[in-house]
Amino acid sequence: MTTGVILLLAAAPPAQAAEPSAAGLWQKIEDGKPAAWFLVVDHDGIFEGAVARTFPLPGEDPNEICSKCTDDRKNAPLLGISFIRDMKRDGLKYENGNVLDPRDGKIYKAKMSVSADGQSLTLRGYLGISLFGKDETWSRLPDTSIAQLDPAVVAKYLPTQAAAIKPPAAAVKPPAVAVKKSSAPVIAPAAAPAR
């Protein structure tokens, strides 16, 4: 009997590991240097991506806004802007979403895919059909890198983590007690008699 159970267990397919998700922090590299970090979050199966950190070049405005946007993102700061919206997951693929190009304010159809090892994410923005589009591939950053993000971005997109990493409230000092000055002269205690 025991041998039969062992054989059944041996013949059973191995448990499938969960597929990697697009949720997490990603880095875009240009010319061998970080160009931007993007945070992708899962809202009950609908994925959104935001600009989580920028690396402005000398002379570039670090507080750039999306002045050419025409929707709810009009004049929003690029840092923290939601630029990937409505991605629906199908395994390692994400489809039926859109991506904003903050340089010109245009919104394109988009899809994404995560590598089988979960370490790279490819975003494709396109007009009409996917054939007429462009890919960008980003690398996953460790979750510990979230500590390097602007607290406002973390609070907006990861409120649970933001609450967990909030600095403790400043210790409340007890009110200072005012010492009343007495008009009575201070009398020193008498010295003990010498023996």
Side-chain angles (χ1 to χ4, degrees):
M1 177 81 171
T2 306
T3 306
V5 172
I6 292 172
L7 287 175
L8 282 174
L9 290 174
Q16 293 290 325
E19 287 181 326
S21 168
L25 192 57
W26 302 91
Q27 177 173 245
K28 175 182 177 179
I29 300 287
E30 285 181 352
D31 301 322
K33 297 177 185 172
W37 288 5
F38 307 116
L39 182 63
V40 177
V41 292
D42 178 356
H43 300 291
D44 297 320
I46 306 296
F47 288 75
E48 176 182 19
V51 177
R53 186 171 178 191
T54 60
F55 299 87
L57 297 172
E60 289 183 341
D61 182 1
N63 301 310
E64 190 175 354
I65 61 169
C66 192
S67 59
K68 295 183 180 178
C69 289
T70 58
D71 60 7
D72 61 301
R73 297 169 280 199
K74 175 92 176 148
N75 293 326
L78 288 190
L79 181 62
I81 198 167
S82 168
F83 78 107
I84 298 172
R85 290 185 171 171
D86 300 325
M87 289 288 189
K88 292 157 195 77
R89 184 175 184 173
D90 181 15
L92 295 174
K93 295 180 181 180
Y94 300 76
E95 299 176 333
N96 302 319
N98 59 73
V99 63
L100 165 73
D101 184 342
R103 295 172 296 188
D104 60 15
K106 291 185 179 175
I107 298 171
Y108 300 91
K109 291 182 180 180
K111 62 182 185 176
M112 304 185 304
S113 61
V114 178
S115 62
D117 68 358
Q119 296 305 302
S120 65
L121 175 78
T122 301
L123 170 71
R124 183 170 188 81
Y126 57 93
L127 282 172
I129 60 172
S130 179
L131 180 63
F132 302 112
K134 181 181 176 188
D135 286 353
E136 275 193 9
T137 301
W138 309 328
S139 302
R140 187 180 295 276
L141 291 167
D143 289 343
T144 55
S145 298
I146 290 172
Q148 298 177 45
L149 300 182
D150 184 293
V153 173
V154 177
K156 182 176 181 180
Y157 294 100
L158 301 171
T160 305
Q161 286 91 325
I165 58 176
K166 266 189 180 170
V172 178
K173 288 184 177 179
V177 178
V179 178
K180 242 184 170 181
K181 288 190 175 183
S182 170
S183 58
V186 176
I187 300 173
R195 294 186 187 205

